Amino acid sequence: MTIATPRPLSAVLAERWNRSTLLRHLSIAVVGLAGYYLLSISLDAFHDLQLAQISYTAIAAAGLTVLSGLSGQISLGHGALMAVGAYSTALLLEHQHWKLGLVLLASTAITAVVGAVIGLAAARLRGPYLAGATLALAVGLPSLANYHELRNVLGGANGLLVAPAPPPLSLGETFPVERWQAWICGLCLVITLVLLANLASSRIGRDMRLVREDEDAAALAGVHVARTQVFTFAISAAAAGLAGGLFAFVNQLASPGAFPLSLSLALLAAAVLGGLGSLAGAIYGSIIVTLLPTWSADVAQSAHLSRSVYANVPLVAYGVVLIGVMILFPSGLQGGVRWAGRWLWVTIRRPLARKDSH
Amino acid sequence: MSMSTRLRPAAAVAAGAALALVVSACSSSGSKGGGATGSTAGANKASAPGVTATTVTIGATDPLTGPAAPGYSEISPAAQAYFNYANANGGVYGRKVTLKYLDDAYNPAQTLTLTKQLVLQDKVFAMVGALGTPTHTKVVDFLNSERVPDLFVASGCSCWDQPSKHPYTFGWQPDYIVEGKILGQYISKTYPGKKVAYFYQDDDFGKDGVTGLDKYISQSLVVSRQSYEPGNTDVTAQVSAIARAKADVVALFTIPQYTALFKLTSLKLGFNPTMVVSNVGSDPLTLSGLLEAFAKQGGATVNGNQLIEGVVSDAYLSPLGDTSNSWIALFKKVRDQYAPNLPFDGNVLYGMATAYTFLQVLKAAGQNPTRQSIVDAVEKGGLTGPGLVPYRYSKDSHAGFIGVQIGTIKSGALAVTGTPLTTDNGSGPITPYTTAQQPAPANGIPAG
Amino acid sequence: MERFIDLTLAGVTSGAIYAAVALALVLIWRATRIVNFAQGGMLMITTFIGYTVIQHGGSYWLALAVAIVSGLVLGAVVERVLIRPVENRSPLSAVVVTFGLLVLLQGLAGMIFGGTPRSYPPAFSIIGFGNANHRLLFAPNDLWVVLVVVGVMAVLALVFRRTSIGLRMRAAAFAPEVARLLGVRVGRMLTLGWALAAGVGALAGVLVAPTTFVSPTAFDATLVYGFTAAVIGGLDSPPGAVVGGASLGLALSYVSGYLGSDLVPLGALVVLMVVLMVRPSGLFGAPAGRRV
């Protein structure tokens, strides 16, 4: 006869934790928000600016990592989608005087629609052909700002200025605007990550993975392949659109020169360096692509090198890091973190296990 | 799979982010201005951010890498070379001037980040010679709200001249409308009734130039207007349109690469118009360098210089070839000693002349300059220097040089002719300026 | 009518350049199933090397030979050292590595040669055919470029289809395990593929350098349009690369001439999307294989 012993509370909680993804994600989000807040108030204004820039880069990289890692589609054009979000935000703020939250939501929606259109057009493209199409998009779409007929609206080569949005007076008169910007970006980042994480754990996420592995098997299993792919493209475009809107908000500009091809490639690098399919990886990758140029420029400055050497050190450093991390960390940095974490866990448990067995 | 985010990686992420930012915050240098008291040079005080008893730190953003870098990347190093010379010869009130220039690769978002770094973190006293219209227009509001002097912006946009809206921002070079007017008048006077075509860059530089040209060139004579996008070197379609229209004179508001490309495609079509080129794109040394390899292939025994012979342009500083000029001699000496790796071309001259102007106003700002006192010094006006024409600085105008002097390229150097001409960027007339250029000070440092 | 002829000739000339770059990309794709983002950077370096030869008094042809040889070496080294570790992983890893290589090469070139654009001579005269009264917008040098590109295409198509080494290269790319079992030195074939592609790229660089001048970022646009041309033609097909290059060159020339230079990048996007919507693997590409 088995008597059901009352389970310890810890086991009940652990099981509840493992089963409810939403609870898990929300708790991590709260911890993340708290950590972000503490970080932002301990940094000075300029580093808050960098924190904000890392945050919106991470939003775009997270969308891209979902697209490429989960759904297996390649996009070299997410910089152009950020441009769509940035210009939408700039135009809405200038002409409509809506609140920032509504503007960001609208920009996200607009970019999602653009992404859906692109996803539809590119639905039959695979591999390098999709890469080529998105590459042409990355170069072609921002150049729309130069189009003669649209110059009055889009501002041409000079682009648009976004009026600064000062922090609410309740925070004090000398509250640095950069910290306020970092808060907004951090909040959007956490929300985006929670949504994407939930999406990935949901049935749609499973569908995406199925399509990535084998389209025919997925179709046989009842997954609507094209719809899933277009949907994923639209979601990742929405993330890029939000990132673009925040870009316009933080940098107070939207201009074609701010969205070169290298931005799209940097987003891809951030996603891949961090680990394809990993949201945490998107954060690591964004930190690297945002901070490395500034840091290497500082190092080069203090070394008093000749002009052409000093100016190119950040480029060389960037290339070396990209190549090095890709070669050394096959699954990206997140893979490396997991490996390190697992190694630590095993090393700690080994002496404990030995003790138990005596 | 990896989507179920567990606490461990998330914590690692947070720690990593914090660590990265804190490390970069600690390791970045910040020139702490305003802290040191006590003087080593008489009554020098640390009177403003970026100013100590012995140093003045200023900042600039330039395209040092990327497609916009050719030529422009020489300007700030040249300015620094001049500052080094001045520092070695006593400085201004004994203070040494350091220019911290950073690479924005002509990306406005990068310009904003770097400008905030220079102002908020490095606490520079002023921005001097920040370069580019699409880039600098994005930081003007920030600099003015932080009350940082934004001196001598390296761009010919007329937008720097807004004293009520941007009281801390000043231009330096003659703006493109001014230049266009003077070139336009020259064309209409020297080539009356001849067919004219425009070839211009499709941004404010080109369009402002065309605005100026149109004020003096009759519309009926303009047979073709072609614009190009910088970044795309295939301009065959545009140049061939001009060539087939058989223009006699072509006015070019182009950067040097596109001046050269125009010449090459014209050669291909056997088209040989008179070229009237903005000073932005007519530096003889740069053009010769770009056309050098074609000279040998030109069919005849031409050299690079011959391909640019007879090009009309303009100048607001003494021409480089005029070695008897005291300013050219001074700057050449500075460059030979402090920046031998830089070519002695128009960009280097530009950088050094801007640097000289800054030292002038720094001196005029008093022994213990503040940000307000240096702005007042510029607005006081009356500065004389290496220019062929005067500045327009006053309480009501923050524009720099008010005109140019026409010249023609002969034997690889620009030779100026006639008198310098001055005008405004509106409908004002063009008037000659007959005051002679002041010679350079004996020791090369502004007297005050 | 004259305008149309001018634009057509200009389109053929620029199209030949895109085709040359496209051929190099097709070569790498066929040999290793990787898209090489660093192609523009590699051909920039080899063109700088050619420029250095000329600066030291070498003839144009010597410089061309040196550039091609250094391309072969560079391609082989890059494959062995950088690409080998990421060859078997997701294609995005190769994209990031080659992008990193591109940035690295541009930085190194900037350090060594500086940012000032250098003048590179053409092989033949750039004066258009004709006489003093009327010249065509087509010069002996342009004809040379077109002939070289068509010639390289023919050689590549022949090598891949008719020779045993071409067969081995294709086998090494498509089915490395089976090829290995059959005695094909897969690694060596991959290296050879990269070396050849870099050599073709070096040739392309020298051909285009006169009109773009030589600087670290001078070839960025050429690479983008070359890649677009390769995709239009189908990444598996050398003739496709040439057709893709020619069509893109013509299309962009007409857009630039009739609609304005501001619409050129958008024009490239439109042309590409139109082709891909009708034929998702490019004009001559093999339909996408199924992964079993």
Side-chain angles (χ1 to χ4, degrees):
Chain A
M1 187 170 83
T2 50
I3 300 171
T5 42
R7 290 188 333 206
L9 183 60
S10 56
V12 170
L13 283 178
E15 197 198 309
R16 199 62 62 79
W17 176 264
N18 281 334
R19 238 195 273 157
S20 166
T21 44
L22 185 61
L23 181 62
R24 239 188 1 255
H25 293 161
L26 283 178
S27 335
I28 297 174
V30 168
V31 171
L33 275 174
Y36 192 96
Y37 169 77
L38 289 172
L39 183 62
S40 71
I41 57 176
S42 62
L43 294 173
D44 68 342
F46 174 64
H47 291 96
D48 275 331
L49 172 69
Q50 290 191 305
L51 183 61
Q53 293 175 331
I54 292 174
S55 304
Y56 66 62
T57 309
I59 293 176
L64 190 55
T65 209
V66 165
L67 180 69
S68 302
L70 278 200
S71 155
Q73 293 170 280
I74 182 173
S75 167
L76 300 177
H78 266 49
L81 293 171
M82 273 184 75
V84 172
Y87 270 93
S88 307
T89 299
L91 288 168
L92 285 172
L93 282 175
E94 187 182 316
H95 296 291
Q96 293 294 113
H97 306 296
W98 290 347
K99 283 240 171 299
L100 180 67
L102 187 56
V103 169
L104 288 176
L105 211 56
S107 307
T108 308
I110 293 173
T111 318
V113 169
V114 172
V117 169
I118 297 170
L120 271 171
R124 294 204 289 161
L125 303 181
R126 298 289 174 269
Y129 299 97
L130 185 54
T134 48
L135 178 76
L137 182 75
V139 174
L141 200 53
S143 80
L144 195 59
N146 284 327
Y147 178 42
H148 269 111
E149 307 300 319
L150 292 176
R151 205 157 282 189
N152 289 335
V153 179
L154 297 181
N158 278 347
L160 302 169
L161 273 172
V162 174
L169 279 170
S170 50
L171 288 170
E173 280 213 354
T174 54
F175 194 78
V177 64
E178 291 83 10
R179 186 164 299 158
W180 170 241
Q181 292 169 339
W183 283 4
I184 304 270
C185 292
L187 181 64
C188 291
L189 174 65
V190 170
I191 294 176
T192 307
L193 290 181
V194 167
L195 289 176
L196 287 177
N198 286 345
L199 182 75
S201 322
S202 73
R203 206 201 67 192
I204 304 181
R206 183 212 69 178
D207 287 351
M208 291 182 206
R209 288 191 201 92
L210 274 177
V211 168
R212 179 192 69 202
E213 289 304 322
D214 189 328
E215 284 182 28
D216 300 310
L220 284 171
V223 174
H224 201 292
V225 171
R227 205 179 289 171
T228 309
Q229 289 187 315
V230 174
F231 178 75
T232 317
F233 213 98
I235 292 291
S236 78
L242 177 60
L246 290 170
F247 178 103
F249 166 64
V250 169
N251 296 312
Q252 284 155 17
L253 63 95
S255 102
F259 301 101
L261 176 61
S262 51
L263 175 65
S264 296
L265 293 170
L267 290 176
L268 185 69
V272 177
L273 285 184
L276 266 187
S278 154
L279 292 179
I283 301 180
Y284 305 142
S286 305
I287 294 174
I288 293 180
V289 303
T290 309
L291 289 184
L292 181 62
T294 323
W295 178 79
S296 49
D298 279 344
V299 167
Q301 269 249 313
S302 42
H304 297 295
L305 303 158
S306 84
R307 170 186 62 114
S308 43
V309 176
Y310 136 72
N312 286 289
V313 162
L315 289 175
V316 171
Y318 193 71
V320 166
V321 166
L322 251 55
I323 296 174
V325 172
M326 281 322 303
I327 293 185
L328 292 173
F329 293 95
S331 340
L333 286 174
Q334 175 67 346
V337 165
R338 289 182 163 268
W339 179 89
R342 215 172 299 132
W343 180 85
L344 265 173
W345 189 238
V346 166
T347 318
I348 293 174
R349 286 190 78 183
R350 215 180 290 133
L352 293 174
R354 233 178 284 134
K355 246 199 249 163
D356 285 344
S357 67
H358 282 341
Chain B
M1 251 228 79
S2 57
M3 291 318 276
S4 56
T5 48
R6 305 228 168 255
L7 265 174
R8 224 186 296 129
V13 167
L19 191 63
L21 273 167
V22 170
V23 164
S24 89
C26 288
S27 65
S28 52
S29 57
S31 66
K32 311 269 180 274
T37 49
S39 51
T40 51
N44 277 7
K45 291 205 290 273
S47 47
V51 176
T52 68
T54 50
T55 62
V56 173
T57 309
I58 54 180
T61 56
D62 307 289
L64 300 176
T65 60
Y72 296 148
S73 59
E74 298 165 14
I75 294 180
S76 282
Q80 181 64 70
Y82 179 77
F83 290 137
N84 290 341
Y85 167 80
N87 294 342
N89 285 286
V92 173
Y93 291 109
R95 289 191 179 91
K96 297 192 193 303
V97 175
T98 311
L99 171 65
K100 184 166 181 179
Y101 57 95
L102 299 176
D103 179 18
D104 67 3
Y106 220 62
N107 179 336
Q110 189 65 0
T111 312
L112 181 87
T113 308
L114 294 173
T115 307
K116 286 201 172 184
Q117 180 183 340
L118 287 168
V119 170
L120 297 174
Q121 187 176 277
D122 300 322
K123 303 210 195 319
V124 295
F125 174 56
M127 296 289 286
V128 177
L131 195 144
T133 311
T135 43
H136 200 70
T137 42
K138 308 301 179 295
V139 299
V140 160
D141 287 332
F142 168 71
L143 288 171
N144 278 272
S145 71
E146 295 284 317
R147 295 199 245 274
V148 176
D150 181 22
L151 304 176
F152 316 142
V153 181
S155 139
C157 177
S158 39
C159 44
W160 316 124
D161 182 13
Q162 297 185 62
S164 48
K165 199 165 149 201
H166 298 135
Y168 286 81
T169 299
F170 294 84
W172 189 77
Q173 67 190 77
D175 70 48
Y176 304 126
I177 300 181
V178 163
E179 195 187 3
K181 284 172 69 174
I182 294 176
L183 289 178
Q185 186 198 51
Y186 172 81
I187 291 176
S188 62
K189 275 215 217 142
T190 321
Y191 303 99
K194 298 279 190 202
K195 292 193 270 193
V196 181
Y198 299 159
F199 184 53
Y200 61 99
Q201 183 155 300
D202 192 19
D203 64 5
D204 279 357
F205 159 50
K207 289 191 290 184
D208 280 356
V210 167
T211 305
L213 290 169
D214 278 340
K215 289 194 200 288
Y216 283 86
I217 297 180
S218 156
Q219 294 310 291
S220 56
L221 291 174
V222 181
V223 294
S224 183
R225 293 163 187 261
Q226 301 287 331
S227 68
Y228 69 90
E229 302 293 322
N232 180 4
T233 50
D234 189 358
V235 291
T236 322
Q238 286 73 38
V239 180
S240 60
I242 293 178
R244 299 301 191 200
K246 299 212 188 336
D248 302 298
V249 181
V250 182
L252 288 96
F253 267 83
T254 52
I255 54 179
Q257 276 180 279
Y258 290 87
T259 316
L261 286 172
F262 179 86
K263 185 65 191 173
L264 289 176
T265 311
S266 303
L267 274 178
K268 189 184 252 188
L269 289 170
F271 177 52
N272 201 12
T274 305
M275 287 167 60
V276 178
V277 186
S278 154
N279 61 60
V280 171
S282 69
D283 180 53
L285 198 65
T286 311
L287 286 179
S288 297
L290 290 169
L291 293 171
E292 173 181 67
F294 294 89
K296 303 173 196 147
Q297 294 281 340
T301 50
V302 290
N303 61 30
N305 279 345
Q306 274 187 269
L307 288 176
I308 57 172
E309 189 79 4
V311 166
V312 176
S313 185
D314 59 81
Y316 49 94
L317 302 170
S318 304
L320 288 160
D322 189 2
T323 40
S324 62
N325 180 285
S326 57
W327 293 99
I328 300 298
L330 165 67
F331 292 141
K332 183 148 203 315
K333 184 177 79 179
V334 169
R335 169 257 176 181
D336 290 342
Q337 202 177 341
Y338 288 92
N341 289 331
L342 293 177
F344 192 57
D345 65 7
N347 297 299
V348 167
L349 182 62
Y350 185 106
M352 292 197 186
T354 319
Y356 179 88
T357 316
F358 174 70
L359 287 190
Q360 276 186 301
V361 295
L362 182 63
K363 195 143 196 181
Q367 175 146 24
N368 291 305
T370 64
R371 285 173 165 169
Q372 187 60 49
S373 74
I374 200 167
V375 167
D376 293 338
V378 184
E379 279 185 343
K380 203 169 73 170
L383 296 169
T384 60
L388 300 170
V389 290
Y391 300 106
R392 212 204 306 273
Y393 298 130
S394 74
K395 273 244 175 312
D396 305 311
S397 171
H398 284 194
F401 287 115
I402 61 173
V404 292
Q405 185 171 3
I406 300 282
T408 312
I409 297 183
K410 290 195 182 4
S411 306
L414 187 77
V416 288
T417 54
T419 49
L421 301 165
T422 64
T423 183
D424 65 2
N425 60 17
S427 357
I430 299 179
T431 47
Y433 179 72
T434 47
T435 312
Q437 185 194 50
Q438 298 282 356
N443 67 349
I445 303 179
Chain C
M1 192 57 194
E2 179 186 61
R3 182 89 176 127
F4 180 73
I5 294 177
D6 278 347
L7 292 175
T8 308
L9 290 173
V12 166
T13 312
S14 55
I17 299 297
Y18 302 148
V21 175
L23 280 172
L25 291 169
V26 163
L27 193 42
I28 290 198
W29 175 256
R30 288 201 80 164
T32 64
R33 318 304 291 172
I34 284 180
V35 175
N36 180 18
F37 265 92
Q39 192 66 59
M42 287 162 70
L43 64 88
M44 177 265 297
I45 292 276
T46 54
T47 311
F48 262 117
I49 293 176
Y51 171 80
T52 313
V53 168
I54 292 182
Q55 285 303 98
H56 284 91
S59 80
Y60 176 89
W61 303 104
L62 177 65
L64 177 62
V66 170
I68 293 181
V69 166
S70 55
L72 294 171
V73 169
L74 183 62
V77 166
V78 164
E79 196 277 333
R80 268 326 250 105
V81 173
L82 296 179
I83 306 297
R84 194 61 72 89
V86 297
E87 233 144 37
N88 296 320
R89 297 196 223 135
S90 106
L92 285 175
S93 310
V95 171
V96 173
V97 168
T98 52
F99 171 55
L101 179 62
L102 172 68
V103 175
L104 175 63
L105 289 174
Q106 286 182 332
L108 287 176
M111 282 187 183
I112 302 174
F113 298 98
T116 313
R118 312 301 173 94
S119 187
Y120 200 95
F124 298 101
S125 166
I126 58 162
I127 310 284
F129 290 109
N131 56 32
N133 289 333
H134 185 84
R135 293 206 177 276
L136 271 185
L137 192 57
F138 198 69
N141 195 57
D142 301 326
L143 184 60
W144 155 249
V145 170
V146 171
L147 289 176
V148 165
V149 168
V150 172
V152 169
M153 172 208 80
V155 166
L156 284 181
L158 237 122
V159 163
F160 271 121
R161 243 178 260 166
R162 298 290 166 88
T163 66
S164 78
I165 198 158
L167 179 62
R168 272 181 276 161
M169 280 172 68
R170 278 156 59 205
F174 266 98
E177 296 310 323
V178 176
R180 223 172 252 127
L181 287 172
L182 292 172
V184 173
R185 306 281 276 274
V186 169
R188 224 171 263 189
M189 290 299 109
L190 297 177
T191 311
L192 180 62
W194 272 76
L196 281 180
V200 171
L203 178 62
V206 167
L207 290 176
V208 74
T211 44
T212 58
F213 310 113
V214 191
S215 73
T217 51
F219 301 101
D220 286 354
T222 316
L223 175 72
V224 169
Y225 292 137
F227 186 35
T228 309
V231 171
I232 289 177
L235 275 168
D236 287 300
S237 159
V242 172
V243 170
S247 357
L248 186 65
L250 286 169
L252 293 185
S253 184
Y254 295 137
V255 166
S256 181
Y258 291 122
L259 297 175
S261 54
D262 50 338
L263 282 174
V264 167
L266 214 51
L269 175 63
V270 167
V271 170
L272 180 64
M273 288 315 293
V274 164
V275 169
L276 287 181
M277 298 235 280
V278 174
R279 292 191 64 90
S281 302
L283 291 172
F284 292 86
R290 279 193 344 198
R291 290 201 302 162
V292 196

